[in-house]
Amino acid sequence: MDTLSIKIKIGDREYPMKVKVEDEAKIRHAGKLINDKIKRYREEFGLDDKQDLLAMAAFDCMVESMEQDKVNSDDSELIKENLHKINQRLTNLL
């Protein structure tokens, strides 16, 4: 398990972290997405306070996560129903 020492800049601060080599791109992309959200809130709402900007970015990320969880849950239920129907059809054929 190879690890890298990297620095991720979020807002105006750099955060050192050790990550798996295979996770580096994903982690850097996550940092970019957070910074993009911070920039959007700064421009859209004229916010300058770093804590407010980070709080809004965190809130936005949580809402997106909750929405994705709901989609995943709905998809899982649909898959389960379809598998049950297929299983019933196969049982009837036997």
Side-chain angles (χ1 to χ4, degrees):
M1 182 171 91
D2 293 329
T3 60
L4 292 173
S5 292
I6 64 172
K7 290 182 182 178
I8 300 295
K9 188 172 183 177
I10 298 175
D12 293 333
R13 292 190 180 182
E14 283 193 345
Y15 297 91
M17 48 181 72
K18 291 185 185 263
V19 300
K20 295 178 187 174
V21 172
E22 61 267 20
D23 292 340
E24 179 189 9
K26 176 176 54 175
I27 290 169
R28 289 190 185 279
H29 184 66
K32 181 186 179 322
L33 291 175
I34 292 170
N35 284 319
D36 289 348
K37 286 180 186 295
I38 289 170
K39 181 180 177 187
R40 188 187 68 181
Y41 279 115
R42 182 181 291 123
E43 292 170 355
E44 218 173 287
F45 299 106
L47 296 173
D48 286 325
D49 184 78
K50 303 296 183 216
Q51 187 171 348
D52 288 342
L53 291 166
L54 287 170
M56 292 302 293
F59 181 79
D60 198 29
C61 288
M62 183 53 67
V63 169
E64 288 175 2
S65 176
M66 291 169 65
E67 288 171 352
Q68 189 60 50
D69 286 348
K70 174 74 170 116
V71 168
N72 290 346
S73 176
D74 292 347
D75 287 349
S76 293
E77 191 59 36
L78 183 62
I79 290 168
K80 193 186 308 183
E81 289 172 13
N82 286 332
L83 285 173
H84 181 69
K85 288 176 185 178
I86 291 169
N87 192 31
Q88 283 183 323
R89 288 180 185 171
L90 289 173
T91 300
N92 290 340
L93 290 173
L94 299 174

